[in-house]
Amino acid sequence: MADSRPIATGSKALDRMVERLAGSADPRRRYEYVLWLAKKLQPLPEEFRNDAFKVKGCVSQVYVVGELQNGTLHWQGDSDAAITKGLLALLIEGLEGLTPEQASAIDPGFIAATGLQASLTPSRANGFLNILRMMQSQARALAA
């Protein structure tokens, strides 16, 4: 039986997306949602496509850039793989507007609650975690 407690990541936007994904029993519907998120992601300016913003440990090319404005984080990024771009978009939307402390405190356990792991390859699931870790690392660096 599924745990009926709401997910509490520390981000209302992330909670909403996790609940939406967790609420779908159909892996194809989850993929469609992730691909829809990918399409909404704004293009990443060329100057950010370099090693400083590249997520290590991802099979696909993934770039993520955090910026601190008035104490809150704002993100942009891109990937050359549609599913990975959607996972990145989920994290960008989920961590948008948080403080560096809030972003750093997000427990990666929410990833399991999405139900995505069942249909992601191990390398893609690991890449999802690496994107989150890179974002949290940038958040800590921006706060310092």
Side-chain angles (χ1 to χ4, degrees):
M1 176 146 167
D3 188 347
S4 61
R5 285 178 305 172
I7 305 304
T9 61
S11 159
K12 285 184 174 60
L14 191 56
D15 291 348
R16 272 194 311 274
M17 291 182 289
V18 170
E19 284 176 27
R20 180 172 180 167
L21 286 161
S24 175
D26 181 359
R28 204 172 84 238
R29 302 265 312 168
R30 286 192 205 115
Y31 262 114
E32 287 168 0
Y33 179 60
V34 169
L35 292 171
W36 176 76
L37 288 171
K39 288 186 184 106
K40 291 186 359 173
L41 202 57
Q42 296 299 309
L44 182 67
E46 203 53 47
E47 70 259 24
F48 295 121
R49 293 174 187 274
N50 62 58
D51 280 349
F53 302 110
K54 188 174 182 185
V55 178
K56 314 288 183 272
C58 281
V59 177
S60 32
Q61 303 291 308
V62 185
Y63 300 93
V64 65
V65 183
E67 199 179 19
L68 193 59
Q69 295 172 349
N70 301 319
T72 60
L73 295 162
H74 302 282
W75 302 96
Q76 48 187 338
D78 196 12
S79 174
D80 61 354
I83 289 289
T84 306
K85 187 173 183 170
L87 297 172
L88 172 65
L90 185 149
L91 290 171
I92 285 176
E93 196 171 314
L95 275 63
E96 179 65 26
L98 297 182
T99 65
E101 295 74 24
Q102 289 169 319
S104 297
I106 289 181
D107 182 334
F110 79 87
I111 296 171
T114 63
L116 284 167
Q117 257 135 332
S119 45
L120 291 178
T121 62
S123 64
R124 200 159 266 153
N126 191 45
F128 192 23
L129 184 58
N130 288 339
I131 295 167
L132 175 63
R133 286 190 177 134
M134 171 94 168
M135 291 173 80
Q136 289 178 319
S137 169
Q138 285 187 26
R140 285 189 289 275
L142 288 165

